[in-house]
Amino acid sequence: MGNLSMAQTVTEAAAAARIAAADLAVRTRADKDRALRAMADALEKHAPDIIAANASDCRRAVAANVDPGILDRLTLTTSRIGAIADALRAITALADPVGEVVRGSTLANGLELRQVRVPFGVVGIVYEARPNVTVDAAGLCLKSGNAVLLRGSSSAKASNAALVEVLREALADNGFPADAVQLVPGDTHDSVTELLRARGLVDVVIPRGGAALIKSVVENAIVPVIETGVGNCHVYVDAEADPDLAIELLIDSKTHRPSVCNAAETVLVHRDIADEFVPRALEALAAEGVTVHGDARVAAYSADVVPAREADFENEYLSLDIAAAIVDSLDDAVAHIRRYSTSHTESIITRSQAAARAFTARVDAAAVIVNASTRFTDGGEFGFGAEIGISTQKLHARGPMGLPELTSTKYIVIGEGQTRAKNANT
Amino acid sequence: MGNLSMAQTVTEAAAAARIAAADLAVRTRADKDRALRAMADALEKHAPDIIAANASDCRRAVAANVDPGILDRLTLTTSRIGAIADALRAITALADPVGEVVRGSTLANGLELRQVRVPFGVVGIVYEARPNVTVDAAGLCLKSGNAVLLRGSSSAKASNAALVEVLREALADNGFPADAVQLVPGDTHDSVTELLRARGLVDVVIPRGGAALIKSVVENAIVPVIETGVGNCHVYVDAEADPDLAIELLIDSKTHRPSVCNAAETVLVHRDIADEFVPRALEALAAEGVTVHGDARVAAYSADVVPAREADFENEYLSLDIAAAIVDSLDDAVAHIRRYSTSHTESIITRSQAAARAFTARVDAAAVIVNASTRFTDGGEFGFGAEIGISTQKLHARGPMGLPELTSTKYIVIGEGQTRAKNANT
């Protein structure tokens, strides 16, 4: 591998990224796709070096006695590096969002107006252990014409450094600025703070990780932030639900992958269907190893139900646990969701058109799902081909973010001498 | 007038606004337009009360010796109240952005996906003296289904209180929650800070005013902010400009309304056209009473040119002053603009297609204008029918913001029992 030097401070890195971003903004799709393929090939070529670096991170993780699940997500193998490279190649198949005309018209005075997509410029990503995010984020930012500042966790620092060195060399070898992809130096918390306060240099920071990371980023940032991923998702089983369908969707929403943000964390059951649904649901959940934390009305159905405290309704479990409550009406379900939801994904199971319409109109979340699993809130499942995260804020992007969500726009106005004094439209 | 009580603290006001917002979110366009017409009628009916309240603000302004321009903008008359009411009526002609389907598709597994516009929820507006903003912002927020917290300046507090009381009464009389429109209590700076930190209660704050107000809001906010309005706008006269057209566009950009954000603040002239253009431009600017602050190369043309300091290129004048510099190339013009621009509006005057294409591709601003006045960056001129401000940030909205920019979106997903275990698309 080469030895391309990187900036020593976040401010230096951000300044170098701005220069790279001006170059990236005017690159053609063909150019960017060529670079993405070169990056993928380079990762596979240098897999042994990357695996060696990763092994040192894994040894530290083992010494620190981390959870086996986290160790597994940290570990890189030849086949995993192949999959990471293939994910870069898959990005070449996606349309380039840059230059897309979002809207356009010819004004009354003859001015031609076009609103076109342009890159943000410099994007910061603050993320936790998984090293595949390093490559994924670099690829998505490159395709959308953005320079990226990557701030991974210190637990993956050797892996991330090796990956980024390979990507930078591939960029440089293909006529792109290496500083389009930079790892933010330092593994203290200070470098995150510096990144979050680099107003004028960094256009947006996207945190990817747990609730504590995201809260810290949002509260400390002066630069614009897109909040992602915290999902306290509800399944509401309406009075007019098909009980069989409700069981199947509840089990999929809760157990298909319990550790992710679109997994269900609470089930709300209409009282009119409780006698029929709750005993069967408790049995089905128990069969999947799920612990139910229920309110008093749910607990009345089984001694196995753990009494729910306020915190059970407030927080994500991200495990084989679910909170459960019985509600007196759809209105009460909506009120419960308004109170506890993180506005990620909320679902209703019902045969009633009126209930589905009321729920989708009144529940305010990134995704509101009728008669399907909460697990479908995902960029891949939505057909976006890629996902940089799932926004749970209302500004700019909401829900799964693909390449267009990594862009801003500008208005281009073409005239032939129009002045406000002579040619005003208003 | 009635006497509808308002909350005593910002947190109380925001909590009341959230309740109102849930109601507003599901109102039909017909309902909202009816309320807007009632608000307009009520303003005209209560014009004497509003003018009396305004007179007390004007007396304080006179006693404080404020600038005549500011006093004029503060003053309300029967005909101005009529114009403010008509602006509300004009909003009824605009399409309702809420419910618009932004995109939609049927996924491979049969799930129906729609991304639809929804209101933000609670919008905070922090603004300076002009009382018409109070009514304008209330009308635009109501039409887009948002509750609004208005934080005007203390210099207009009696006017704003009178206007808001009339609007709230009209809302209540028409079956709408009065708390959809609230004046943030208190005229200390504390109430602004409280508004900016009301995370979870306030969905977005939009500051409208001078650079100092906007900077303070951005730096102190924890809630999402949309930056507006600071415009250090450039006119670049290319080597291949038509000199007559260049003079006309420069004069319009600078003098049509010097105090606003889309007025030109700097002119950059390509050296190859300087001998022909600069003497005529200096003469034309002088004839309009404009003082030119030029670099050494511009100053060489006339003893009337004031030597420019760094601050002349950095800041908005918002007056009959302009900074001027000669550049050696289009590249140098782009570099100058990158260094000093606030990314509001940048213009080029040229007959060259190549120069126009290079400039529009490489200059990063909310609006890039070819052969027309900078003064066209405006929601009314762009045909949006209304404007809540001009965003100079890249997130969410950039450039003039109309009703759609006051909304977020949500994904509605309709299925018939799809699970990830059985029906995944990926």
Side-chain angles (χ1 to χ4, degrees), chain A residues 168-228:
Chain A
R168 285 167 60 85
E169 190 172 76
L171 284 168
D173 288 348
N174 284 275
F176 273 76
D179 288 339
V181 177
Q182 293 178 81
L183 207 56
V184 168
D187 47 39
T188 64
H189 192 72
D190 289 357
S191 70
V192 178
T193 307
E194 212 184 322
L195 182 67
L196 295 176
R197 304 188 78 84
R199 192 162 190 91
L201 291 173
V202 173
D203 293 293
V204 60
V205 168
I206 304 174
R208 287 183 58 166
L213 169 73
I214 289 162
K215 182 164 187 284
S216 157
V217 166
V218 167
E219 292 192 348
N220 291 301
I222 295 180
V223 301
V225 166
I226 300 179
E227 274 186 78
T228 67

Side-chain angles (χ1 to χ4, degrees), chain B residues 250-260 263-267 281-282 284-294 304-306 312 315-324 375:
Chain B
L250 173 60
I251 294 298
D252 195 76
S253 298
K254 178 68 248 181
T255 68
H256 181 256
R257 200 166 159 206
S259 65
V260 293
E265 304 292 1
T266 297
V267 56
L282 293 178
L285 288 164
E288 297 288 332
V290 178
T291 302
V292 176
H293 306 256
D304 292 338
V305 170
V306 179
D312 288 297
N315 300 318
E316 291 179 291
Y317 292 113
L318 302 173
S319 60
L320 286 173
D321 292 84
I322 195 164
R375 288 275 295 125

Side-chain angles (χ1 to χ4, degrees), chain B residues 4 39-40 42-43 88 134-136 138-139 150 162-172 178 181:
Chain B
L4 294 160
M39 286 157 67
L43 288 174
L88 280 183
T134 305
V135 179
D136 229 40
L150 297 159
L163 290 165
V164 167
E165 191 180 353
V166 171
L167 298 180
R168 286 167 59 84
E169 191 172 74
L171 284 168
V181 177

Side-chain angles (χ1 to χ4, degrees), chain B residues 20-38:
Chain B
D23 177 346
L24 289 182
V26 293
R27 293 297 183 123
T28 62
R29 170 175 176 177
D31 252 15
K32 293 185 285 191
D33 287 348
R34 193 170 42 76
L36 286 165
R37 280 188 291 269

